[in-house]
Amino acid sequence: MHCFAYQWATKITKSDAYKERQSNKVVMSAMAPAADKKLTGLVAAAFTPFTAQGEINVAEIGRYINYLREKQGVRSVFVNGTTGESMSLTVAERKTLAEAWCLKAKGKMDQVIVHVGCMSVKDSQELAHHAAQIGADGIAVIAPSFFKPNTAEALKKFLHEVASVAPSLPFYYYHIPAVTGVNVLGRDLMEGIEELIPSFRGVKFSGEDLMDFGQCVSYSKPHWSALYGVDEQLLAALAMGAHGAVGSTYNYLGCHFNELISAFEKDSLDQARTIQFKVQELLSYAKKLGFDLGVNKQLMNEVSGLCLGPPRLPLMPCPPERAQSIMKKYHSIFPDC
C-alpha cells in the first residue's frame, strides 16, 4: 500500500486517544520495572504516526511494531526522538505516544527507550517520571538547544536533574551537536558521569566525529552502550567498537543493516562494505533531491505500506514525484525488497 501525503484520511480524535489512554492505565500500572539489560544491535528511531489532520495516530503503532519485527528484524525502538518530531509535540502527546509504544511492544520488542528531552528541565522531569511509571526500558535526553549549556559540567547538571526523578531507569545521553548546536564532546560528558548519574548506561552518538566516538567507546564501562546514530557511517563505527546503533533508516533498511552487522562480526568486510556502499548510494541520491524528515517519513510509508501520515509543520510533506524517484532508486539498489 502506497500512501502519499495528500492521501492520508485516517482520523483519530483527541477524545479517542484519551479513551485509549484511560483504558490502558490499569495495564500500565501493573507493568514491572524495566530490566537493566545492555542495549545492543539495531534500534529503530521511530516516526510519529499522524493522521491527515495532524493528530497523533496511536492506532498504527501495533502494525508498526509487527513490521519492524517481522520484516526488518529490528526489536528495539527509540521513541519521541528527532525522527519522531518530539520538539513539535506537546508533553501530553509525548506521554500518549510513550504509553502506546510501551503497552503494544510488551512481549514483542526487546527494549523501548523513550526520549524525554525538552527545552524545559521541568518538562523533561515530568516525561522521565512518566516513562518510569509506564514501564519504559530506558530514557534518553538531548541537550537543550535554545539556552544552551556551554560546558560539560552545565550539561551534566541538566542531565542529572532529569535522571534524578527516574533513578531506576537506564539513562542515555543523546548527542546530536549538528541539531542542538551544543558542541560538548561526548567523551567530556562521560567523564565521571556515573558518580553524578548512577543510572547512566551510555550515549546515543549522532555525530560524525569518529575520534570523539572512539573515545566514548574507549572510556565506556562494560555495562554501558556506545550507540552510533549516523546510519551511512555505521560500518566505520562498528570498527571503532560500537555496541549498537540508533537510526531512522533502520525502520525500512533494518534487514540490510542486520546483514551488514552479521558480515562484520564474521570478518566478511567486503560483504559489509558492499551493503554500506549501497545504503550510501541510496541516501546520497536522496540528499541530492532534498532529503529531510518529511521525505524520510514518506520513504518509510512507501517501503513499509504503513500510513504514518505527513510530518508536522514547520516540516513539509514530501512531494509525490520525489518519493517516486527515490523509491525507483531504492528498488534498483535493493531489487529483492
Side-chain angles (χ1 to χ4, degrees):
M1 179 172 70
H2 291 181
C3 300
F4 290 114
Y6 55 80
Q7 291 176 317
W8 294 307
T10 304
K11 181 175 177 60
I12 285 189
T13 64
K14 291 181 180 177
S15 60
D16 291 331
Y18 175 79
K19 290 174 184 176
E20 180 161 343
R21 257 179 41 211
Q22 291 298 102
S23 67
N24 291 340
K25 277 188 176 178
V26 174
V27 179
M28 291 296 177
S29 62
M31 292 179 74
D36 189 355
K37 53 188 176 183
K38 186 164 181 173
L39 183 58
T40 60
L42 293 183
V43 182
F47 294 96
T48 291
F50 288 122
T51 67
Q53 293 74 32
E55 301 297 332
I56 60 172
N57 181 9
V58 296
E60 195 74 351
I61 291 175
R63 288 210 309 145
Y64 197 157
I65 290 169
N66 291 338
Y67 171 78
L68 290 175
R69 277 171 42 90
E70 297 166 9
K71 300 297 183 181
Q72 299 300 335
V74 174
R75 298 183 62 94
S76 292
V77 290
F78 187 88
V79 178
N80 289 342
T82 303
T83 303
E85 303 177 65
S86 61
M87 297 305 168
S88 297
L89 303 173
T90 67
V91 168
E93 287 175 324
R94 288 172 69 168
K95 286 183 177 181
T96 297
L97 285 162
E99 287 178 11
W101 276 101
C102 287
L103 178 70
K104 297 182 181 185
K106 187 178 181 182
K108 292 186 174 183
M109 304 297 279
D110 291 338
Q111 295 204 44
V112 177
I113 308 300
V114 179
H115 172 246
V116 301
C118 299
M119 297 302 100
S120 162
V121 67
K122 294 295 185 181
D123 286 345
S124 294
Q125 288 176 321
E126 182 177 344
L127 288 170
H129 183 260
H130 176 261
Q133 289 181 314
I134 63 175
D137 296 290
I139 55 175
V141 175
I142 199 171
S145 57
F146 190 85
F147 293 116
K148 300 177 177 64
N150 55 15
T151 66
E153 294 309 311
L155 179 54
K156 288 179 193 179
K157 186 169 180 59
F158 180 89
L159 300 179
H160 166 70
E161 289 297 309
V162 181
S164 65
V165 303
S168 65
L169 283 185
F171 182 91
Y172 301 88
Y173 167 54
Y174 180 6
H175 178 72
I176 183 166
V179 172
T180 63
V182 176
N183 294 307
V184 172
L185 293 175
R187 171 62 177 79
D188 290 347
L189 182 283
M190 295 171 82
E191 182 79 38
I193 196 166
E194 200 168 34
E195 298 172 7
L196 191 63
I197 305 175
S199 58
F200 184 80
R201 292 298 180 269
V203 58
K204 177 188 183 297
F205 193 102
S206 295
E208 297 182 349
D209 185 346
L210 285 171
M211 179 175 175
D212 186 25
F213 179 71
Q215 290 290 289
C216 290
V217 175
S218 177
Y219 185 77
S220 288
K221 308 290 179 66
H223 56 290
W224 293 3
S225 296
L227 306 161
Y228 198 59
V230 182
D231 308 5
E232 56 268 36
Q233 296 183 174
L234 176 58
L235 182 56
L238 291 174
M240 297 299 289
H243 306 116
V246 184
S248 61
T249 68
Y250 307 143
N251 283 282
Y252 52 84
L253 293 173
C255 58
H256 302 293
F257 276 105
N258 276 323
E259 290 178 5
L260 184 157
I261 293 171
S262 179
F264 175 81
E265 291 174 345
K266 295 175 183 176
D267 293 326
S268 300
L269 291 182
D270 286 343
Q271 181 185 358
R273 277 194 293 265
T274 296
I275 298 169
Q276 184 73 89
F277 292 158
K278 286 183 177 181
V279 171
Q280 289 179 344
E281 181 182 356
L282 175 64
L283 296 182
S284 176
Y285 179 83
K287 286 179 180 180
K288 287 178 182 177
L289 296 180
F291 188 65
D292 59 11
L293 199 150
V295 176
N296 199 10
K297 191 174 191 182
Q298 184 57 29
L299 189 56
M300 173 60 173
N301 281 314
E302 295 292 325
V303 174
S304 68
L306 298 170
C307 281
L308 303 179
R312 178 171 283 182
L313 289 170
L315 298 175
M316 296 297 291
C318 174
E321 62 276 7
R322 189 179 307 174
Q324 291 171 347
S325 181
I326 297 173
M327 279 302 297
K328 183 177 179 180
K329 184 69 171 179
Y330 170 86
H331 287 300
S332 72
I333 297 172
F334 301 108
D336 296 330
C337 294

